[in-house]
Amino acid sequence: MAHGKWIGSGTCPIREIILVNDYSKDNSRQVCENLGKRYAANIIVIHHETNGGQHRALMTGLRNSRGNLVVLMDDDMQNPPSEVTKLINKINEGYDVVIGKRMVSTKQRVSFSNFLIMRREIVTKITEDQSSDPVIHGLILQSTANTTNVLTVHNPRKHGRSNDTVARLFKHWLNVSSYISPSVSYSLALLIIMMIVGLSVTTYYFLHR
């Protein structure tokens, strides 16, 4: 599926939509093209000719964005577009980045998700990164500490399934940890390893009991 960005300026929820088709093998290319033709004044369609992964697709969208406020949003509709208003209202309180947070309790100061809004200044800093394997969350941590969460609706996935595997998630969060202090990085890596070991032991127990 394509990765979409809903972009706003001021109090207007949508000024520009960028659809990045990351070499999807379904009909995403044609769907994006149809939307681009139907709403040519507001939708920009970009196709990757190879599958580069979600964060490269997001970087492509960021580099082609023009709004003062940029919203990153997956196309699976687990976060309803109407929730963008919550992000806009919160960032207007003076934050650089506001991240949608599932409605669950957590002790983390800031919880990360793929549903977030950032100011143009942060987009500019992030898009200066020239690495071949960018990590958007890590670049946000590197760019600003003025971040916060806002509670948003997160619906179950209705179609398809996530491409994320335990190995891919492990690699992603290790990459994120490289952007923060060593002590936090080691703690995060240790926590992830403990979670994987615990999951493996539990799976083995249920398969062999």
Side-chain angles (χ1 to χ4, degrees), residues 68-69 91-92 94-96 117-123:
N68 293 325
L69 299 176
I91 202 169
N92 281 338
Y95 296 100
D96 290 334
I117 188 171
M118 66 182 80
R119 295 188 181 278
R120 168 53 51 188
E121 293 83 357
I122 305 304
V123 174

Side-chain angles (χ1 to χ4, degrees), residues 63-76:
R63 285 179 173 147
N64 286 274
S65 67
R66 297 171 293 182
N68 293 325
L69 299 176
V70 179
V71 177
L72 303 188
M73 180 178 177
D74 290 342
D75 64 350
D76 55 17

Side-chain angles (χ1 to χ4, degrees), residues 51-202:
N51 181 265
Q54 184 183 44
H55 286 257
R56 291 182 187 175
L58 292 174
M59 185 65 86
T60 294
L62 290 172
R63 285 179 173 147
N64 286 274
S65 67
R66 297 171 293 182
N68 293 325
L69 299 176
V70 179
V71 177
L72 303 188
M73 180 178 177
D74 290 342
D75 64 350
D76 55 17
M77 293 296 110
Q78 288 186 277
N79 296 111
S82 58
E83 294 291 277
V84 169
T85 302
K86 293 181 180 178
L87 299 179
I88 294 173
N89 290 340
K90 193 66 177 178
I91 202 169
N92 281 338
E93 294 180 12
Y95 296 100
D96 290 334
V97 179
V98 176
I99 304 160
K101 176 181 175 182
R102 299 187 188 191
M103 295 184 178
V104 295
S105 176
T106 176
K107 294 182 179 180
Q108 292 177 276
R109 188 185 72 82
V110 176
S111 297
F112 275 92
S113 74
N114 293 327
F115 184 47
L116 59 90
I117 188 171
M118 66 182 80
R119 295 188 181 278
R120 168 53 51 188
E121 293 83 357
I122 305 304
V123 174
T124 299
K125 289 182 181 180
I126 288 175
T127 53
E128 289 174 353
D129 181 79
Q130 298 298 318
S131 65
S132 60
D133 192 18
V135 181
I136 302 300
H137 296 150
L139 291 169
I140 289 174
L141 288 171
Q142 199 174 64
S143 300
T144 181
N146 187 22
T147 63
T148 192
N149 288 122
V150 65
L151 292 178
T152 54
V153 173
H154 187 90
N155 295 320
R157 182 187 292 268
K158 292 184 178 180
H159 305 287
R161 61 186 179 85
S162 174
N163 292 323
D164 290 329
T165 63
V166 172
R168 181 175 291 182
L169 290 172
F170 179 67
K171 179 182 177 182
H172 170 69
W173 284 109
L174 282 182
N175 288 339
V176 171
S177 70
S178 68
Y179 289 87
I180 53 184
S181 65
S183 60
V184 176
S185 298
Y186 298 146
S187 298
L188 178 60
L190 180 60
L191 177 61
I192 295 174
I193 292 171
M194 290 173 63
M195 290 172 61
I196 292 175
V197 171
L199 179 62
S200 300
V201 171
T202 302

